[in-house]
Amino acid sequence: MINDEDKQLFRSSVDATAPIDKDNHTQPGERISQPAFTAYSYITEARLSGSEIVAYAKNGLSPKIIKKMKRGNIDHAPVLDLHGQTVIEACEAMSQFMYHYQHEEFIHIIHGKGYHSDNSMSILKTQVVSFLNQHPQVMAFNSCPDKDGGTGAVFALLKK
């Protein structure tokens, strides 16, 4: 038998919750779209060389998925090519691209190696890495294997 104190505790917990909006809730397995990411900042100085390997992964991410990215064992990944774009154009393009493909597991961004940049430092590559580090949906990214662009491109893993 439930005593009065337990009943009161239950009632106070239940009464404090808001009812579910049945007209606006999602179905099981349905994904909620996030708005386009616009809270990024622009970089002003290139800090990465075209040949430098870039890698990032949030804590707790499976090493198996990281290895999959490094080897390029990805079945399908939408591709964005940023060659020839300015830092501002690249950020706008990445924001829209990632918004459009936010439900994909992986995306592929080609930024180039910056061979036409001063001191062989790549401003666009540096901006892509900065943007991906700032984006809340990015769980990991890694330079691609040579067959997919090598150090001139990255694969990024997005949060589901």
Side-chain angles (χ1 to χ4, degrees):
M1 191 74 165
I2 301 174
N3 64 33
D4 288 337
E5 187 177 312
D6 288 339
K7 286 181 188 178
Q8 183 61 30
L9 177 63
F10 173 76
R11 182 56 45 209
S12 67
S13 296
V14 171
D15 288 342
T17 60
I20 295 174
D21 180 1
K22 293 180 183 175
D23 296 328
N24 197 23
H25 75 285
T26 58
Q27 299 297 321
E30 186 179 339
R31 298 177 185 176
I32 299 171
S33 291
Q34 299 296 320
F37 177 65
T38 57
Y40 49 83
S41 60
Y42 301 114
I43 55 111
T44 57
E45 185 180 323
R47 294 182 302 271
L48 297 170
S49 73
S51 61
E52 194 170 339
I53 294 173
V54 296
Y56 164 80
K58 288 193 174 177
N59 287 337
L61 202 58
S62 165
K64 191 175 182 179
I65 198 102
I66 303 299
K67 188 181 284 187
K68 183 178 179 178
M69 270 194 319
K70 285 181 179 179
R71 291 184 177 167
N73 294 338
I74 297 170
D75 295 332
H76 167 74
V79 179
L80 174 65
D81 189 342
L82 300 174
H83 278 103
Q85 294 189 6
T86 66
V87 165
I88 294 170
E89 291 168 341
C91 285
E92 290 170 358
M94 285 188 291
S95 179
Q96 289 305 308
F97 177 76
M98 291 178 72
Y99 173 73
H100 186 73
Y101 292 107
Q102 65 183 293
H103 299 302
E104 295 287 334
E105 182 177 15
F106 293 101
I107 58 169
H108 183 188
I109 299 175
I110 302 169
H111 47 70
K113 295 184 181 184
Y115 286 141
H116 302 291
S117 301
D118 295 335
N119 303 330
S120 73
M121 300 301 276
S122 176
I123 189 107
L124 204 53
K125 179 177 185 171
T126 305
Q127 181 62 61
V128 168
V129 168
S130 174
F131 182 94
L132 294 174
N133 273 316
Q134 295 173 62
H135 200 292
Q137 195 179 357
V138 174
M139 300 300 292
F141 60 85
N142 203 87
S143 292
C144 293
D146 288 340
K147 70 180 178 67
D148 296 309
T151 57
V154 293
F155 282 127
L157 172 68
L158 303 181
K159 187 186 305 183
K160 291 248 177 182

